[in-house]
Amino acid sequence: MTTTALSVRDMLVVYEDFAALNRVSLDVQHQESFGIVGESGSGKSTLLRAISGLSAFQEGSLTVDSRNFNGRKRDREFYRTVQMVFQDPYGSLHPRQTVDRLLLEPLAIHGFDNVDARIARALDEVGLGSGFRFRYSHQLSGGQRQRIAIARALIVEPKILLLDEPTSALDASIQAEILNLLEQARRDRSLTFVMVSHDLGVISHMCERLAVMKSGEIVEILPADALEKRQFSADYTRQLLVASEGFRRD
Amino acid sequence: MSVVEQHLKPYSREWLLSDRPTSRKQARIGRAYVIWQRFAENRLALFGLMIIIGLLFVAAFADVLAPHNPLQGDLRYARLLPPGSDGYLLGTDDQGRDILSRLIHGSRLTLLVVVLVAVIAAPVGLIVGTVSGYAGGWVDAVLMRITDIFLAFPKLVLALALVAALGPGIENAILAIAITSWPPYARIARAETMTFRNSEFISAVQLMGASPFRIVLRHVMPLCLSSLIVRVTLDMAGIILTAAGLGFLGLGAQPPLPEWGAMIASGRRFILDQWWVAAMPGAAILIVSLGFNLLGDGLRDALDPKEAGQ
């Protein structure tokens, strides 16, 4: 049975008099992997930030697990359900905390028990052994940092994971590893993904459906395999596809 | 990870510098060791640290070290003896009291002033600054305008006004100095907080559902701490001088307490003929201030590499 995990209706985000999101609506099903692509400034990251409560939306509605949210206010229960992985692994880990502290924090906030075992398991799950547990973030490489960021998001056992270009700051070989790790986690935990990327290749690899965004609006929503069959209606999608193929070497 | 790394001898150099600490304790001690190494590279900073340790030592063992009673002198035979007199290494003052003994006991008062001011002013500045920087909006506006008001007064004048209102005495001098020295700390902490309040690692904690209180206390404050420690250490010289200034004006420690500033004040009357009465406490203030400044510089290089070399 597929039900709606996350639903956005007519979301409007205005900065001064610039509409970063102009009445965006989308529905993401349970256990679905939903991609959002678009050029820089198309509002895709703004959408994730508005969903997560990092920035406020002025109008519209957000429904997560049949609970309504608005503006910026999110309760603790929301963050048990929804977690986010950021783009820049160099900026998203606290510079003065060990991995242990980083992973302990969400457990402490949500009052989990058995924290030592949970931290050890979380590190194992992202392919880092206990040898990394007491390192500071400056003692880690970019890929390792992103694994820690993923472990931190997964440790509270969320149902929905928001991914804001999780691999664009990493080089190609590490990208593949991180994407495989995310795919594995999704299968193991039956997660729902909302993934933002400017890379059509990454999105079509990871996602079942995707939305194409431009200037704060959704141009179209289509299944990922429609991209390969070239069954899209919007001219902009075609341009985006051509642009991304232009850099392919095959 | 290799088996070898797991079996490093605790507290050995390799254990301290290991990239793969195996316990919370090892990670923390290792980090402290790295900071210590950076600090110890700086010879002048070590010299400053030695002065401060010397001050602590003298203050702790004042009763044993002082050759004479600091409060009661020998008015009959030992008035205004020059340095090097028999039994009075640094000479005596107008009441026949041994200046060395007074300096040794005065170190306790100096230390008391410095420590109490730091303990009162630094946390106040840290809290005001981080809350203001993190909250923004009207909270920021209100807190910063209050800070501005305190900053608008010259430090010594505001301290004078407070002492005048509360009455002279070392406790009131400490309170006055503390009240006048927190605003710069608040400014520093606020500026520092604002540089990372929108950073992703703070967003990440917000997304864990952490309360603003928790974020400020556990994630923002530790980051402001090192620059604050540096600043407080560098300010200690100024605190000592302000305390001495209040003492000099007769508003700090009251006679017969051997406070260094008050000692200078009492030596002023015969500064031309018996220069040592005022010069000795002056030298003590100079040396301790220098020690704190050198220590602060070294701490800045060790804790805050981005500001080093200024």
Side-chain angles (χ1 to χ4, degrees):
Chain A
M1 185 189 88
T2 56
T3 46
T4 311
L6 183 151
S7 164
V8 173
R9 282 277 160 277
D10 295 323
M11 189 179 271
L12 181 74
V13 175
V14 180
Y15 295 124
E16 284 161 26
D17 46 358
F18 168 74
L21 280 189
N22 195 0
R23 309 215 173 272
V24 167
S25 301
L26 56 86
D27 291 294
V28 180
Q29 309 303 320
H30 269 298
Q31 301 181 27
E32 184 185 24
S33 180
F34 189 87
I36 301 170
V37 284
E39 59 192 20
S40 304
S42 59
K44 52 195 194 315
S45 288
T46 310
L47 178 57
L48 277 201
R49 290 180 69 87
I51 292 173
S52 67
L54 284 177
S55 43
F57 59 92
Q58 281 82 27
E59 283 175 34
S61 69
L62 169 70
T63 314
V64 175
D65 258 2
S66 40
R67 298 176 64 219
N68 283 309
F69 297 93
N70 50 41
R72 266 194 91 149
K73 206 119 186 78
R74 307 281 186 274
D75 56 9
R76 199 166 283 182
E77 193 55 37
F78 175 85
Y79 294 119
R80 278 289 299 270
T81 317
V82 181
Q83 275 295 318
M84 182 159 167
V85 175
F86 292 91
Q87 174 176 7
D88 179 12
Y90 291 89
S92 65
L93 302 185
H94 195 284
R96 291 279 167 89
Q97 289 178 357
T98 59
V99 169
D100 182 59
R101 262 296 299 281
L102 285 167
L103 296 181
L104 188 62
E105 193 65 10
L107 295 178
I109 291 168
H110 292 284
F112 280 86
D113 54 357
N114 214 355
V115 289
D116 276 327
R118 281 177 194 273
I119 292 174
R121 203 174 337 133
L123 282 173
D124 277 341
E125 192 180 352
V126 295
L128 298 174
S130 56
F132 289 86
R133 182 162 170 185
F134 299 104
R135 290 198 189 187
Y136 288 94
S137 51
H138 62 82
Q139 294 169 322
L140 302 170
S141 71
Q144 288 165 346
R145 285 172 189 235
Q146 198 60 309
R147 285 169 192 264
I148 298 293
I150 292 168
R152 176 177 58 185
L154 292 179
I155 204 164
V156 296
E157 295 165 6
K159 294 187 191 124
I160 301 170
L161 202 56
L162 308 175
L163 301 158
D164 187 3
E165 310 217 21
T167 58
S168 62
L170 306 170
D171 66 47
S173 61
I174 314 267
Q175 265 191 29
E177 284 176 24
I178 297 292
L179 291 178
N180 287 338
L181 171 68
L182 287 170
E183 195 50 45
Q184 183 69 38
R186 185 165 82 95
R187 250 179 283 133
D188 293 349
R189 293 169 172 255
S190 328
L191 291 170
T192 307
F193 275 4
V194 180
M195 183 173 192
V196 158
S197 181
H198 59 259
D199 188 338
L200 265 180
V202 168
I203 292 288
S204 61
H205 171 72
M206 292 286 291
C207 301
E208 291 133 22
R209 284 196 309 145
L210 61 112
V212 180
M213 287 190 71
K214 190 194 178 195
S215 332
E217 290 176 30
I218 289 187
V219 178
E220 72 178 316
I221 295 180
L222 67 167
D225 46 14
L227 271 186
E228 278 163 44
K229 295 179 201 147
R230 314 220 155 215
Q231 291 166 338
F232 38 75
S233 46
D235 195 39
Y236 180 70
T237 313
R238 190 185 56 77
Q239 286 174 13
L240 213 58
L241 194 63
V242 170
S244 76
E245 278 172 345
F247 291 94
R248 288 207 183 134
R249 298 202 171 180
D250 51 1
Chain B
M1 102 209 62
S2 66
V3 186
V4 189
E5 294 218 45
Q6 295 244 305
H7 292 94
L8 291 170
K9 206 168 130 240
Y11 303 106
S12 67
R13 210 183 126 76
E14 290 73 27
W15 183 82
L16 287 168
L17 293 177
S18 168
D19 253 359
R20 298 156 180 264
T22 51
S23 68
R24 243 162 255 187
K25 195 177 82 178
Q26 189 186 356
R28 204 171 298 145
I29 298 176
R31 192 180 152 74
Y33 182 67
V34 171
I35 291 174
W36 167 249
Q37 270 191 325
R38 251 185 291 171
F39 180 80
E41 278 171 21
N42 188 339
R43 290 286 170 81
L44 276 174
L46 279 181
F47 180 64
L49 182 66
M50 274 162 53
I51 293 176
I52 304 310
I53 291 175
L55 177 74
L56 287 170
F57 178 80
V58 167
F61 298 103
D63 293 327
V64 187
L65 290 172
H68 296 273
N69 186 325
L71 302 182
Q72 276 185 342
D74 183 354
L75 274 171
R76 207 145 160 212
Y77 300 110
R79 280 193 76 227
L80 296 168
L81 292 177
S85 306
D86 198 19
Y88 301 101
L89 193 62
L90 298 181
T92 58
D93 65 4
D94 57 329
Q95 311 218 18
R97 295 174 297 197
D98 178 36
I99 292 180
L100 178 64
S101 303
R102 281 177 73 73
L103 288 184
I104 289 173
H105 279 272
S107 66
R108 286 187 171 171
L109 291 174
T110 302
L111 215 54
L112 180 79
V113 170
V114 164
V115 169
L116 278 183
V117 168
V119 164
I120 298 169
V124 171
L126 183 65
I127 291 169
V128 170
T130 48
V131 167
S132 164
Y134 182 74
W138 65 269
V139 178
D140 182 35
V142 169
L143 287 176
M144 278 303 114
R145 292 305 78 77
I146 293 173
T147 311
D148 281 344
I149 292 171
F150 276 93
L151 274 173
F153 287 98
K155 213 169 172 181
L156 196 61
V157 172
L158 188 57
L160 273 175
L162 275 163
V163 171
L166 299 171
I170 189 110
E171 306 83 7
N172 290 342
I174 290 170
L175 198 64
I177 299 170
I179 287 173
T180 53
S181 54
W182 67 266
Y185 305 145
R187 280 288 180 86
I188 293 172
R190 175 175 175 267
E192 195 116 343
T193 305
M194 288 177 78
T195 60
F196 48 73
R197 68 181 264 213
N198 290 324
S199 70
E200 287 190 339
F201 64 87
I202 296 296
S203 299
V205 193
Q206 289 171 341
L207 288 190
M208 289 170 200
S211 61
F213 177 73
R214 188 184 180 95
I215 295 175
V216 168
L217 193 69
R218 304 198 56 165
H219 299 270
V220 173
M221 279 191 188
L223 283 171
C224 298
L225 216 53
S226 56
S227 58
L228 196 76
I229 289 172
V230 170
R231 182 61 195 258
V232 169
T233 318
L234 286 171
D235 276 359
M236 290 210 164
I239 292 168
I240 293 173
L241 291 176
T242 312
L246 285 176
F248 183 82
L249 294 170
L251 297 167
Q254 295 301 300
L257 279 181
E259 203 271 326
W260 295 349
M263 286 170 73
I264 298 180
S266 68
R268 187 188 43 163
R269 275 175 290 146
F270 16 85
I271 198 160
L272 293 178
D273 299 317
Q274 285 89 21
W275 54 269
W276 58 89
V277 180
M280 293 307 168
I285 293 172
L286 173 85
I287 292 169
V288 172
S289 301
L290 181 71
F292 274 116
N293 273 339
L294 293 177
L295 179 71
D297 258 349
L299 281 178
R300 181 175 62 198
D301 294 355
L303 292 173
D304 222 6
K306 66 173 188 288
E307 284 205 13
Q310 280 185 356

